[in-house]
Amino acid sequence: MISSERVEYAMDGYVQYSPAERVVDATIHAVAIAAALVGFVALAWQMPWPPEGRIVAALAVYAVGLLAMLVSSAAYNAVRGGPAKAVLRRVDHAAIFVMIAGTYTPMMVLGLGGGMGFGMLGAVWAGALGGAVLTVALGPRFERFAIAAYLALGWCGFLLIGRLWDVLTTAAFALLLSGGVLYSVGVVAHTAHRMRFHNALWHAMVMAGAACHFVVVLLLVRAARG
């Protein structure tokens, strides 16, 4: 799996992956986008009737954040190089911040609620929007810090770990934690440039983490039905 000749760069500095790696990565993205669309239909089906405004708004924000991350990642990784890839790279990395905050939204609104939940949600969105702006404005100069920022933003909710334990079921709490671990361990694959299929593995772990968190959101919607 490891080779001293693994990393090859195009003239504009982007890693050039083998055809097999590109096919696997594209397949992962296609499956993830399709699964997300089906999942959003399932969430809508599970909503109480008549729909509550807070649930609709929370799920809409969640859906936009997750789809923004998936679609921008697919587009960025599909382009081989050139000016378009540079732009898509910034959009892709900014969308990660939006996805993190979007995932927090239904968990804070439907799970915690109250001043504690909305206070945390406001702090997360402030951090996410700041990170997204810096990513777009600074590009590669911000990328090393961005990885740390993703992890810090993703895990800051566990400052409320005691309260989350109280309001979530054991299964939901375990899935919430598992999703965070998958995202975090995936960063190792993301940075292992000399390992074949490292990019596809990174994206697979992101999708697995997103799937864990989707189930948490689904369980919260079901609980809201009473």
Side-chain angles (χ1 to χ4, degrees), residues 1-22:
M1 290 290 288
I2 307 296
S3 168
S4 60
E5 301 177 354
R6 172 65 194 89
V7 182
E8 297 178 2
Y9 292 92
M11 291 183 64
D12 52 9
Y14 295 106
V15 178
Q16 296 301 293
Y17 298 105
S18 68
E21 289 174 291
R22 289 171 58 81

Side-chain angles (χ1 to χ4, degrees), residues 123-150:
V124 168
W125 269 108
L129 292 175
V133 169
L134 288 173
T135 297
V136 172
L138 301 179
R141 289 175 290 171
F142 184 67
E143 285 183 10
R144 285 182 178 272
F145 179 76
I147 293 176
Y150 296 145

Side-chain angles (χ1 to χ4, degrees), residues 49-131:
W49 188 262
E52 296 181 30
R54 69 186 181 99
I55 298 178
V56 173
L59 294 184
V61 170
Y62 169 60
V64 169
L66 184 56
L67 275 179
M69 184 270 290
L70 293 175
V71 173
S72 62
S73 178
Y76 166 60
N77 285 278
V79 176
R80 298 294 294 272
K85 190 171 183 70
V87 173
L88 288 170
R89 181 175 186 162
R90 297 185 186 215
V91 173
D92 172 42
H93 292 180
I96 297 174
F97 283 108
V98 177
M99 182 275 293
I100 293 171
T103 303
Y104 264 97
T105 300
M107 295 186 183
M108 295 297 105
V109 173
L110 306 182
L112 287 184
M116 185 180 294
F118 284 99
M120 175 60 75
L121 184 59
V124 168
W125 269 108
L129 292 175

Side-chain angles (χ1 to χ4, degrees), residues 143-169:
E143 285 183 10
R144 285 182 178 272
F145 179 76
I147 293 176
Y150 296 145
L151 292 172
L153 197 63
W155 283 103
C156 71
F158 277 83
L159 292 172
L160 306 177
I161 189 169
R163 183 65 181 135
L164 288 168
W165 175 259
D166 290 338
V167 300
L168 296 177
T169 64

